[in-house]
Amino acid sequence: METIKTKCLIIGSGPAGFTAAIYASRANLAPVLFEGHQPGGQLTTTTEVENFPGYPEGINGFDLMEDLRKQALRFGADIRTGLVTAVDFSSRPFKVTTDAGVEVEAEAVIISTGASAKYLGLDDEKKYSGMGVSACATCDGFFYRKKRVAVVGGGDTACEEALYLSNLASDVFLIVRKDYLRASKVMQQRVLEKPNIKVLFNTQTEGLYGAEVLEGAHLVERKGTDMEQHLDLAIDGFFLGIGHQPNTKVFEGQINLDEAGFIKTYDGTTATNVAGVFAAGDVADPRYQQAITAAASGCKAALDLERFLLEAE
């Protein structure tokens, strides 16, 4: 069994993890980074990224993550394939185990495992991923200018997505399973008053269709009642607005999490309740969840970690 000892361990990749690795490497901390279950993070499943600074013509999400990865490697980061399956933050050095049986002893840790968008569980969602299906209106909404799109969900997240898209798309359909919106009153009012947003209450999505790219959704109204009705809705984009699930299961009982499972950080820093353990990116950010904010927090986490090690010495 391989055992690694390091001053800085980074769990997870993506904009936060790779940026943390760049800063930690340049600080001569020789960081070890395990990429996790989705090397490069959620952006690797995004076709075009147009809102990340430095790419005026836009860039493919996979290529963007490759650029960040190469930059981290250039400065000496030890990037490894593997998923962390167990952690022990009870004392330093912290102990971590991967799915390959590798054991790591680290003086300090940065967690950047990200968050995964919640999906309905339809096979068609995978089929049309990046080809009409998206979980981020801010990321992909621009590609649907003057087109027809649908958003699934009835909470604040879905309403925010619908309102954002209403300024770009010609028509926005908000697909709501219940006969009411769960969003805040002010958000409900904004949605209902927007002329190009149509709320489809008591409606569920059964499937999606399209030859090569998404062309529409199979819907059912009032499912399970004597008023059940099936219909097809022609759309160009299908957005999930039912929230994100932070990838924090392995850290339960080790650090403080909020009610939704996001890692709590304190005093305006990336520090968790365990001295020497820091969190960066979507795993600690239920609000913004953008590539640029994740990268920025990765920078802050590396600086916080460096300061921690200097003070500990």
Side-chain angles (χ1 to χ4, degrees):
M1 182 179 292
E2 182 182 6
T3 300
I4 302 171
K5 296 185 178 182
T6 181
K7 287 184 176 180
C8 173
L9 171 66
I10 301 171
I11 305 174
S13 48
F18 287 146
T19 301
I22 291 168
Y23 273 78
S25 297
R26 295 184 75 252
N28 293 322
L29 295 178
V32 175
L33 182 151
F34 281 91
E35 293 184 293
H37 72 283
Q38 188 175 30
Q42 291 186 83
L43 276 188
T44 57
T45 64
T46 301
T47 51
E48 197 76 12
V49 178
E50 294 192 323
N51 56 2
F52 197 92
Y55 296 93
E57 302 302 320
I59 183 172
N60 180 277
F62 180 85
D63 293 336
L64 173 58
M65 289 302 96
E66 272 298 293
D67 283 349
L68 290 180
R69 189 178 192 275
K70 290 175 182 176
Q71 193 171 357
L73 288 170
R74 175 192 167 201
F75 291 115
D78 182 357
I79 299 177
R80 300 186 175 216
T81 300
L83 177 69
V84 168
T85 55
V87 301
D88 182 359
F89 294 155
S90 61
S91 61
R92 293 178 59 231
F94 304 119
K95 294 177 177 60
V96 171
T97 306
T98 75
D99 55 353
V102 177
E103 293 187 348
V104 185
E105 295 183 3
E107 294 299 317
V109 173
I110 294 173
I111 300 170
S112 56
T113 48
S116 301
K118 294 179 181 178
Y119 285 83
L120 298 175
L122 304 173
D123 290 338
D124 292 336
E125 290 172 312
K126 297 178 181 179
K127 180 180 178 180
Y128 297 106
S129 178
M131 303 296 287
V133 172
S134 172
C136 180
T138 309
C139 308
D140 301 325
F142 180 81
F143 302 109
Y144 298 92
R145 290 177 63 87
K146 299 182 179 180
K147 295 185 177 181
R148 289 162 57 93
V149 301
V151 178
V152 177
D156 281 325
T157 298
C159 288
E160 287 175 4
E161 299 274 273
L163 286 167
Y164 178 84
L165 289 166
S166 70
N167 295 318
L168 299 168
S170 60
D171 298 285
V172 179
F173 299 91
L174 186 59
I175 302 172
V176 183
R177 184 167 56 91
K178 304 283 188 179
D179 60 357
Y180 60 88
L181 292 172
R182 294 181 291 102
S184 60
K185 294 297 182 181
V186 64
M187 193 64 70
Q188 291 184 41
Q189 183 176 354
R190 290 173 183 170
V191 165
L192 296 173
E193 290 179 352
K194 196 74 174 183
N196 64 333
I197 296 179
K198 182 177 180 180
V199 183
L200 305 178
F201 290 110
N202 297 304
T203 303
Q204 298 179 50
T205 307
E206 292 190 309
L208 306 171
Y209 64 88
E212 295 182 3
V213 299
L214 179 70
E215 296 177 14
H218 299 301
L219 306 179
V220 56
E221 295 180 343
R222 302 184 183 279
K223 186 174 182 179
T225 72
D226 55 5
M227 298 176 64
E228 182 174 307
Q229 182 178 353
H230 296 262
L231 66 150
D232 288 346
L233 178 68
I235 50 173
D236 304 289
F238 184 80
F239 290 83
L240 282 303
I242 52 179
H244 287 74
Q245 179 66 44
N247 301 318
T248 53
K249 188 171 182 60
V250 70
F251 307 113
E252 291 177 358
Q254 295 287 329
I255 54 177
N256 289 346
L257 309 176
D258 68 12
E259 292 180 355
F262 290 90
I263 296 175
K264 290 184 178 182
T265 55
Y266 298 89
D267 302 323
T269 72
T270 61
T272 69
N273 64 300
V274 177
V277 178
F278 305 87
D282 289 3
V283 74
D285 176 18
R287 181 165 185 169
Y288 298 104
Q289 298 182 341
Q290 297 296 301
I292 190 63
T293 54
S297 67
C299 160
K300 293 194 292 184
L303 295 176
D304 288 341
L305 180 145
E306 182 185 6
R307 176 174 293 183
F308 168 82
L309 290 177
L310 286 173
E311 292 177 351
E313 292 175 359

